[in-house]
Amino acid sequence: MKFKEYEYKRPNLDEVEQKFHQALDHFSELSPKEQIKRIYDIVEIRKEVDSNITLVTIRHSINTKDEFYEKEVEFIDENSPRYHELVDRFYKTVMASPHLEELKEEFGDLFFDQIETQLKVFSPEIMEDLVEENKLSTKYDKLIASAEIEYDGKINNLSDMSPYLQSKDRNIRKEAYEKVNGFFTEHLEEIDQIYDELVHVRDRMAKKLGFKNFVEMGYLRMRRTDYGPEEVANYRKQVLESVVPVSNDLREHQKKRIGVDSLKAYDLPLAFTSGNAAPHGNDDWIMKNGQTMYSELGELPKEFFDFMTEHELFDVKARKGKQGGGYCTYIPKYRSPFIFANFNGTSGDVDVLTHEAGHAFQVYLSRDFTLPEYVWPTYEACEIHSMSMEFLTWPWMDLFFEEEADKYRYQHLSSAVNFIPYGVTIDEFQHFVYENPDITPEERRKEYSKIEKKYRPYLDYDGAELLENGGFWLRQSHVFSMPFYYIDYTLAQVCAFQFFGKSREDHDKAMEDYIRLCKEGGSQSFLNLVKVAGLENPFDDGTIKRSMVKVHEYLDSVDDEQFD
């Protein structure tokens, strides 16, 4: 079957509820063998519901103006808390089993650790709040997708503006920058209101569940079982000490390369005066070369990419009304990963075939896990797969960038370094927000500006009022839809730097470690998965500094001025 043939059916929650009750009634009285069978019955019900929820999400993001799927998304937003309540009952029933040891032998300890985590963050009394949270998050996504920016004689969405933001012509970069900033300035009041309501509904849920504020609840919702805010704060300190100076130095190099006296915010996307490395072909050409790359990367990568292509599990072409950004998701009923993106003629198009495909490759290799909780790991571990694949595919970048391949590699690694200080800026900001939920939007922006100056001191917004006043985060969708997610990218980046080092020494061995990690799926916690891959714990003092050694070596070995 092709993706377009995958059948969507609105979940009949009355029927789902009845099936859950049938499986869970008198559960404690059953033998261990019968309990295990009932758990597997519930898994099958969840696969069906989860698949339909995922299909709605994908098809709505493909065309946000499709009235049918718009209504289905509204239905899911309103009713998914009811489904979560059923899963919550399932978790509680399982945890109350008198045969817990036998169940752990069948399903592993982590499943029960995660159940305990999830039971702490759900209660029927927050169902209305969850509905409101879903609606507010969807409202933000729709607002961003609605962007219609007049420029260059065309109507552009936010993704369409990326090539202009990277233009070799400084005037075009500045104009595009002002146009994008203008959209967020125009909609500032609405975005402020959406976020303010999100902060308060999350704070309200946390307090109903007995938490001091949303910070602890947010960590538990992310299924973090082996670290907390204290470890993350120490990690941010390491970033400040070991990454920020390198990033500042890279920006100085960039300033000299592109020949400007003062590096403005609209200069940052341009790495070279000769222009950023961009793929040397259209969307179909990129996909064809992607097929070649994965065929040569190894037997399992080839099998994976052939599956994705055969079943048409990519939607990567930008279109009017399509949601912005990119993601990978998984449809359990069809055992299918799915990759969504908006190609725009920049190097980001190739990054989709490495980053998002890294996610998809992992879930493809771990889809044999029966429990939904084990198909994906927690998010910071997920991002190791995606960011490491970016480096493991470096030898094939000549396919896409031809004579500009080395330029791309330097640009890619520099961008990875520069990203980490931004990622921890977003993270520290979110901690502040949820520790101080009642402050005004203006006070939030003021604090963001203060944090931003600590980690990204080189920023010069050149008089753009909203950005100078701390409004850059308004365009970061994760802040709205996935609180506390963003630090995961930076943790994974540090792990990916370790894979970069491994691949420079022995690419085949690095791939072996990577595939072993992918096959574990979510069957182990983040820090245990780090061990499985033979990586160092990013929270330990000194890990970031050591992870940067090979990165330093490569960047220092390249004469970056040759690319201009």
Side-chain angles (χ1 to χ4, degrees), residues 261-281:
D261 294 330
S262 175
L263 195 68
K264 306 296 184 184
Y266 47 79
D267 295 320
L268 298 184
L270 181 72
F272 312 100
T273 54
S274 56
N276 291 356
H280 289 192

Side-chain angles (χ1 to χ4, degrees), residues 40-260:
Y40 283 126
D41 289 343
I42 292 283
V43 165
E44 291 306 309
I45 300 166
R46 292 176 67 194
K47 276 185 184 177
E48 181 72 26
V49 177
D50 292 345
S51 296
N52 284 307
I53 291 174
T54 303
L55 285 169
V56 164
T57 304
I58 295 170
R59 287 178 176 155
H60 177 65
S61 60
I62 286 171
N63 182 6
T64 60
K65 296 184 178 182
D66 185 308
E67 292 183 6
F68 173 78
Y69 283 107
E70 184 174 13
K71 287 177 182 173
E72 293 307 297
V73 164
E74 289 174 4
F75 172 82
I76 296 298
D77 283 349
E78 290 176 7
N79 289 279
S80 60
R82 182 180 167 193
Y83 172 56
H84 292 318
E85 186 177 19
L86 292 173
V87 176
D88 181 66
R89 186 196 165 195
F90 162 60
Y91 285 163
K92 286 177 178 173
T93 303
V94 168
M95 289 302 290
S97 168
H99 308 299
L100 211 52
E101 291 308 311
E102 289 91 337
L103 298 185
K104 286 182 178 181
E105 283 181 24
E106 176 73 15
F107 299 108
D109 288 342
L110 185 63
F111 176 54
F112 298 90
D113 292 343
Q114 291 193 350
I115 285 179
E116 282 191 276
T117 297
Q118 294 311 298
L119 287 177
K120 291 175 182 176
V121 296
F122 181 81
S123 167
E125 67 178 312
I126 66 166
M127 280 184 63
E128 288 184 12
D129 297 315
L130 289 167
V131 170
E132 185 179 349
E133 183 186 23
N134 287 341
K135 288 182 176 179
L136 288 166
S137 181
T138 300
K139 188 176 181 181
Y140 173 82
D141 289 340
K142 284 191 69 176
L143 176 62
I144 298 304
S146 74
E148 295 185 345
I149 299 171
E150 288 187 37
Y151 190 68
D152 194 24
K154 301 192 292 257
I155 302 296
N156 304 278
N157 63 25
L158 289 170
S159 181
D160 294 332
M161 295 300 292
S162 292
Y164 300 113
L165 291 166
Q166 297 180 28
S167 172
K168 291 183 283 186
D169 187 322
R170 199 180 198 196
N171 289 327
I172 291 175
R173 291 200 305 276
K174 185 175 181 181
E175 288 171 1
Y177 163 82
E178 289 171 345
K179 287 283 187 180
V180 170
N181 189 46
F183 171 80
F184 285 94
T185 302
E186 179 186 350
H187 295 281
L188 176 61
E189 188 176 336
E190 186 176 357
I191 298 174
D192 270 344
Q193 184 178 352
I194 290 171
Y195 191 59
D196 197 61
E197 290 179 20
L198 275 169
V199 170
H200 282 99
V201 75
R202 286 167 180 157
D203 184 64
R204 189 164 64 243
M205 284 192 288
K207 286 172 178 169
K208 284 181 182 178
L209 295 175
F211 298 105
K212 179 183 176 183
N213 55 43
F214 182 72
V215 175
E216 187 180 358
M217 180 180 175
Y219 271 61
L220 292 176
R221 287 214 305 192
M222 297 295 290
R223 298 191 293 147
R224 295 171 180 170
T225 58
D226 46 10
Y227 66 93
E230 296 78 16
E231 287 83 358
V232 171
N234 185 59
Y235 168 82
R236 292 197 302 262
K237 180 172 172 286
Q238 285 192 73
V239 169
L240 193 60
E241 294 167 352
S242 299
V243 182
V244 169
V246 182
S247 178
N248 293 343
D249 186 55
L250 286 170
R251 291 304 187 189
E252 279 298 310
H253 275 263
Q254 181 182 1
K255 184 174 79 171
K256 290 176 185 175
R257 278 199 314 272
I258 67 174
V260 294

Side-chain angles (χ1 to χ4, degrees), residues 292-332:
T292 301
M293 176 173 71
Y294 281 100
S295 294
E296 295 177 359
L297 188 58
E299 183 180 341
L300 284 173
K302 179 183 187 303
E303 176 190 307
F304 149 73
F305 204 86
D306 287 348
F307 176 88
M308 296 290 289
T309 305
E310 179 185 342
H311 295 277
E312 298 178 357
L313 295 165
F314 292 97
D315 190 300
V316 298
K317 297 188 178 187
R319 293 183 300 276
K320 191 175 179 180
K322 188 176 179 181
Q323 185 177 303
Y327 62 78
C328 169
T329 189
Y330 178 68
I331 311 158

Side-chain angles (χ1 to χ4, degrees), residues 250-520:
L250 286 170
R251 291 304 187 189
E252 279 298 310
H253 275 263
Q254 181 182 1
K255 184 174 79 171
K256 290 176 185 175
R257 278 199 314 272
I258 67 174
V260 294
D261 294 330
S262 175
L263 195 68
K264 306 296 184 184
Y266 47 79
D267 295 320
L268 298 184
L270 181 72
F272 312 100
T273 54
S274 56
N276 291 356
H280 289 192
N282 63 18
D283 300 351
D284 294 332
W285 179 87
I286 291 170
M287 295 302 296
K288 183 179 178 183
N289 281 319
Q291 187 101 41
T292 301
M293 176 173 71
Y294 281 100
S295 294
E296 295 177 359
L297 188 58
E299 183 180 341
L300 284 173
K302 179 183 187 303
E303 176 190 307
F304 149 73
F305 204 86
D306 287 348
F307 176 88
M308 296 290 289
T309 305
E310 179 185 342
H311 295 277
E312 298 178 357
L313 295 165
F314 292 97
D315 190 300
V316 298
K317 297 188 178 187
R319 293 183 300 276
K320 191 175 179 180
K322 188 176 179 181
Q323 185 177 303
Y327 62 78
C328 169
T329 189
Y330 178 68
I331 311 158
K333 180 179 176 181
Y334 297 99
R335 293 167 52 80
S336 297
F338 186 91
I339 291 176
F340 172 94
N342 285 269
F343 278 8
N344 54 28
T346 68
S347 61
D349 299 350
V350 177
D351 295 338
V352 168
L353 285 191
T354 57
H355 184 100
E356 299 302 342
H359 287 308
F361 181 63
Q362 173 265 303
V363 77
Y364 179 82
L365 290 188
S366 59
R367 61 188 182 153
D368 287 337
F369 281 108
T370 304
L371 292 174
E373 287 78 5
Y374 285 176
V375 174
W376 294 106
T378 46
Y379 289 110
E380 72 289 89
C382 280
E383 299 302 341
I384 300 175
H385 310 121
S386 57
M387 291 179 163
S388 299
M389 183 65 90
E390 293 177 25
F391 292 123
L392 292 167
T393 52
W394 260 32
W396 287 269
M397 290 302 103
D398 301 76
L399 284 172
F400 304 97
F401 300 101
E402 298 175 336
E403 76 278 1
E404 290 189 302
D406 284 336
K407 179 197 275 192
Y408 167 79
R409 292 182 185 107
Y410 180 86
Q411 175 186 331
H412 174 228
L413 187 56
S414 300
S415 296
V417 172
N418 287 329
F419 167 74
I420 292 177
Y422 173 62
V424 298
T425 298
I426 292 291
D427 182 68
E428 189 166 323
F429 170 67
Q430 291 190 94
H431 279 82
F432 174 80
V433 166
Y434 289 107
E435 287 165 5
N436 302 276
D438 295 323
I439 61 173
T440 66
E442 291 75 20
E443 288 171 320
R444 287 189 196 113
R445 287 196 288 277
K446 184 178 179 181
E447 183 65 20
Y448 181 83
S449 184
K450 178 182 169 185
I451 296 168
E452 185 177 63
K453 285 180 171 65
K454 179 168 67 172
Y455 294 107
R456 307 175 80 202
Y458 53 80
L459 279 175
D460 180 350
Y461 288 118
D462 198 27
E465 185 178 352
L466 175 60
L467 300 177
E468 287 188 339
N469 291 332
F472 188 86
W473 62 272
L474 296 166
R475 62 191 69 191
Q476 193 60 63
S477 64
H478 304 71
V479 174
F480 294 81
S481 61
M482 296 287 287
F484 295 112
Y485 185 173
Y486 221 59
I487 195 70
D488 301 51
Y489 289 112
T490 77
L491 290 165
Q493 190 69 76
V494 170
C495 293
F497 283 160
Q498 295 179 53
F499 265 116
F500 171 76
K502 286 171 179 267
S503 68
R504 303 288 293 171
E505 293 175 356
D506 186 338
H507 192 276
D508 289 344
K509 175 66 167 60
M511 275 302 296
E512 286 176 17
D513 291 345
Y514 178 75
I515 287 172
R516 185 170 67 251
L517 173 67
C518 289
K519 286 181 175 179
E520 288 295 318

